[in-house]
Amino acid sequence: MKRVLLAPLDPVHDIGLKMVARGLTAAGHNALLLAPDLAPEEIIEQVVKHRADTLLIGRTLGYGVAELLARFVDLTDASGIREKVKIGIGGMAVRPELAAELGFDAGFGPGTEVEEVICFVEDREYKADLGRIKKRKSDMTSSYDYRYHHPGISAKLAQITDMILDWVKGKNSSGVRRAKVRHELWDAARWRAREDMSEFTKEYSKHCGEIPRKYFEQGELHPKTRRFTIEEVRKFEAYLQELKERMSVKKLQHTRPKPLVFNQYGTGCPFMDIGHIVASQAWGVDGVIHFDPSWGARTEGFMDGFLTHQEDGTVITPANFNRIHSSLESSTLWQVRAHRGLNTPETVVLAGKLGADLTKINICYGALGAGTDPARMTLDGYHSILYAQQYNLPFDVVTNEELAGVPAHKAFAGMLIVADLAVRLGARPILQPLFAYSPEVMLRGLMADNYIDYNTAKVHALRSILNAPIWPGAPIGFLTHTEDRVQSAMTTAMHASLAMSLGVDAISIASTDEAYSGGPITASAKIDTLRAVQEGFRFFGQASIIPTANANLLVEELVEQIEAVLDRVIKTGDFVAALHQGCLGSREDGAYPGRAGKDTVEME
């Protein structure tokens, strides 16, 4: 048993010392907490009087306090107790380096565990329990049966799914062929072992566009990319090893298990991405999302190699995916977006082979908001869903059309069409309504009073139609963010708290510099929103956010409008024609049928 004196060298702040005193007493030590604001001479008198083995000082730093603490240490020297008594200091601004500089034996700053102080008192080495917080991956689709609550909409979706299944019969594309080659001839274990893959390469390059074909035939890279040097790779491996050795994870959720929190990476540089991923994991994120460059979605085929890209969006290659996957904690969910371009089915195959947990597919968004020809996107999207089912990858169906001004009911109708097709094919779709201050919202004044009613109405409308997981994105609060990082963190936290109150399964959040970064996104800005979301979850706990009565009116309106959109799609008799005719988003709405891959769908 040690005799420990705890002295708050501060007028009021002694909470930390009280917690430490209780811990020391529980550990069997004789801990005596002195009254606040004693003079240094009085504290030393008490040390002598009680023959203390250890003295723990608590102090909030401010102007001139460093000099005060240094003089205190000098006074212990002059009194003769310095060599007999261990002295530690703690406080919000204290760090071990500062404590050592001032002459203390130890310093305890924010986040210090009581056990750490007890170890100091007992002359034991403190070893942090890096696995103290136990996290594991969870399947957000496992508790949903995908049953319809709205028979009318269910029947209409079934007709449209039949329409799509009939349309894709006998059709093929270069994207579908590449995915088949990747699925049948490319083996991840053999590739990692650097075994001969010439059979795959020879067949694969036949179906590629100019850029990947030049890569495989001549070793030429895309002009915006370069390989990492050997020296950079060595530094990367040392960096990752060092990070993993001291890695511990946090939880963002407080007393509710949901929602899971995702954020995306895609700086263009996988090395930097991995730094962001590790920082995100350390601050509590549950999943990360791969964001690729726009030109990649318009290129037929993938290159390979550990490549960095000079603009935002990290290039999809097996080597980049493999390196990124190696940085993930076992509890971190990994989503690879595959929803918008000419490589959609192959992206799903590659993601499945290299360990992804989730993907993202939406035929309507890819065809109307991401520049891909509707016919090509419909065929490739169908095969992507088949591969998602085969590789056991649930996928979200994003409704980003709203960003272009497409009304939510049209975007939701498109999302439900893809979800119904997926369920028919045995896949597990996740509905992704956008929590955003979208053009439709601005024009109609739907959020003139608050951001709660319309976002709540979206979730309730979808739940009144289908029993499926819901993952608002992407990110929540989009277009409510500004260049002000405090404002962006705050609005993200409030949207996250609304999502929690609504009991949704997951959310995607942005960094505080994401909307206005104009360049690489900083790790500190990612931590801003993660901390803000954590505080939001802590603030509300089991309490709820209650919308106004207007939310119910908006639910009724949305459901009626979705049903009307489905009627118009059925009336066309052709899903691809419906995309071209604007049933799911028109030019007047701001949606345009894409041209990438036009006339590349062939009859077999």
Side-chain angles (χ1 to χ4, degrees), residues 436-455 479-480 495 548 550-551 554:
Y437 191 59
S438 63
E440 177 204 15
V441 165
M442 297 177 198
L443 292 172
R444 293 186 57 199
L446 292 168
M447 294 183 179
D449 177 60
N450 63 69
Y451 292 152
I452 296 172
D453 289 348
Y454 197 47
N455 288 324
L479 293 175
T480 67
H495 281 85
T548 73
N550 188 46
L554 292 168

Side-chain angles (χ1 to χ4, degrees), residues 446-480:
L446 292 168
M447 294 183 179
D449 177 60
N450 63 69
Y451 292 152
I452 296 172
D453 289 348
Y454 197 47
N455 288 324
T456 298
K458 289 178 177 178
V459 172
H460 286 177
L462 291 172
R463 282 180 175 157
S464 74
I465 296 170
L466 178 64
N467 182 32
I470 295 180
W471 175 357
I476 53 168
F478 199 83
L479 293 175
T480 67

Side-chain angles (χ1 to χ4, degrees), residues 225-441:
T225 64
R226 72 166 177 85
R227 290 182 188 279
F228 283 94
T229 65
I230 292 174
E231 182 65 16
E232 287 171 334
V233 172
R234 286 177 181 153
K235 287 183 176 177
F236 160 79
E237 290 173 345
Y239 166 77
L240 186 58
Q241 177 67 28
E242 192 270 333
L243 284 178
K244 280 186 170 291
E245 287 175 357
R246 57 190 177 91
M247 183 70 187
S248 63
V249 296
K250 292 180 183 290
K251 280 185 70 174
L252 296 176
Q253 296 79 11
H254 180 52
T255 56
R256 301 194 198 202
K258 298 191 293 186
L260 301 174
V261 179
F262 288 73
N263 66 16
Q264 69 181 26
Y265 62 86
T267 62
C269 172
F271 200 149
M272 191 181 297
D273 286 342
I274 287 169
H276 287 181
I277 289 170
V278 173
S280 297
Q281 292 174 146
W283 289 93
V285 78
D286 301 293
V288 293
I289 305 166
H290 185 93
F291 181 86
D292 57 320
S294 297
W295 62 262
R298 294 172 173 77
T299 302
E300 297 270 16
F302 295 129
M303 300 181 291
D304 200 351
F306 191 26
L307 306 180
T308 185
H309 179 223
Q310 65 182 228
E311 297 173 2
D312 65 323
T314 299
V315 179
I316 293 178
T317 69
N320 279 1
F321 272 4
N322 193 52
R323 294 277 183 182
I324 290 166
H325 184 251
S326 71
S327 71
L328 301 174
E329 292 293 301
S330 60
S331 61
T332 302
L333 292 161
W334 184 33
Q335 184 189 42
V336 174
R337 305 192 327 165
H339 63 305
R340 60 187 176 132
L342 304 180
N343 299 307
T344 299
E346 189 190 349
T347 304
V348 175
V349 173
L350 196 56
K353 284 180 179 278
L354 289 173
D357 303 287
L358 298 147
T359 185
K360 181 188 289 281
I361 304 168
N362 189 355
I363 296 170
C364 301
Y365 170 62
L368 297 175
T372 306
D373 172 67
R376 174 67 182 269
M377 195 66 234
T378 299
L379 180 66
D380 284 15
Y382 163 77
H383 285 277
S384 303
I385 293 170
L386 287 175
Y387 283 122
Q389 187 275 335
Q390 192 165 345
Y391 283 93
N392 194 30
L393 293 175
F395 64 91
D396 71 73
V397 190
V398 66
T399 59
N400 273 13
E401 291 98 332
E402 287 178 82
L403 294 179
V406 176
H409 63 277
K410 290 187 180 181
F412 282 19
M415 174 173 63
L416 289 167
I417 289 170
V418 175
D420 190 79
L421 173 65
V423 173
R424 184 82 71 88
L425 296 176
R428 291 174 291 157
I430 301 163
L431 305 179
Q432 189 163 89
L434 202 64
F435 275 13
Y437 191 59
S438 63
E440 177 204 15
V441 165

